[in-house]
Amino acid sequence: IRARMETSDLGRRTAEEGVVTSEAELDELIARSVEAGKVWRDLGAERRAEILHAAGDVLQSRRADLLEVMGSECGKVLEQGDPEVSEAVDFARYYAERTLDLADGAVPGAVFRPHGVTVVTPPWNFPVAIPVGSVLAALAAGSPVLAKPAPQTPRCAAVAFAAVQAALAEEGVPADVLQVVTAPEDEVGRRLVSHPAVA
């Protein structure tokens, strides 16, 4: 893993594919997210929990890639990166179990209804655990997610999000339930967080 860090290019393509430069492009992404969110919501809490547990399995299986990209992009040594990957896996398990708290009948007299699209804009200092935890929390609550990586660590987030996307795809969940969006800090970025469909 250390040997691969120096020349690693992991996540670059995924991060670049998520670049959005116009409000029209962004509106289309959000519309797709809203539609995919209906499918995700209708799966129910128990099924979403199973899928989030599967996301933990995929994150675990991609530990080497996550360590490689963290070392390559932001200089995290293995001793720092390894516990962070474990934390991301733990988040998957934790939020999977918390999803069950939202199942029908879990709270007598209450019915949980997911809100709209969630935008996740994590910081860079924990480039895998915090983005993954934030995304999984929103997914656990039944929301589709638009994930905007920190500008300093787009590749780390892209590799981490790709692991979660792989678990969703394996379970037949529409790809647009979790989209990686790299938007500039201008009117496009402002629209991302102020769009009426973003809850």
Side-chain angles (χ1 to χ4, degrees), residues 52-66 85-93 128 132-133 136 159-164 167:
L52 294 186
H53 273 298
D57 294 340
V58 176
L59 285 161
Q60 174 68 17
S61 73
R62 296 192 180 177
R63 180 177 295 269
D65 287 347
L66 292 164
V85 175
S86 294
E87 185 176 6
V89 173
D90 288 346
F91 275 138
R93 310 275 185 244
V128 168
V132 166
L136 294 171
V159 173
F161 295 150
V164 177

Side-chain angles (χ1 to χ4, degrees), residues 22-175:
S22 73
E23 291 186 43
E25 276 182 284
L26 183 64
D27 288 347
E28 204 241 306
L29 281 177
I30 292 172
R32 291 194 337 244
S33 186
V34 168
E35 286 307 306
K38 294 174 186 174
V39 175
W40 181 243
R41 178 195 65 220
D42 290 345
L43 288 176
E46 291 88 355
R47 184 71 181 113
R48 288 195 305 270
E50 291 172 4
I51 294 169
L52 294 186
H53 273 298
D57 294 340
V58 176
L59 285 161
Q60 174 68 17
S61 73
R62 296 192 180 177
R63 180 177 295 269
D65 287 347
L66 292 164
L67 292 171
E68 175 185 328
V69 74
M70 281 192 283
S72 170
E73 188 170 54
C74 57
K76 280 221 172 193
V77 296
L78 293 175
E79 292 78 6
Q80 294 173 331
D82 194 53
E84 185 167 343
V85 175
S86 294
E87 185 176 6
V89 173
D90 288 346
F91 275 138
R93 310 275 185 244
Y94 175 79
Y95 286 117
E97 292 302 311
R98 295 294 57 79
T99 302
L100 299 174
D101 295 338
L102 305 175
D104 291 343
V107 178
V111 177
F112 177 75
R113 289 188 181 84
H115 286 289
V117 177
T118 296
V119 172
V120 170
T121 59
W124 63 270
N125 55 329
F126 289 93
V128 168
I130 292 176
V132 166
S134 301
V135 162
L136 294 171
L139 291 172
S143 292
V145 179
L146 295 172
K148 181 184 179 293
Q152 300 91 336
T153 54
R155 294 194 301 125
C156 289
V159 173
F161 295 150
V164 177
Q165 288 169 322
L168 295 170
E170 182 70 26
E171 299 294 332
V173 176

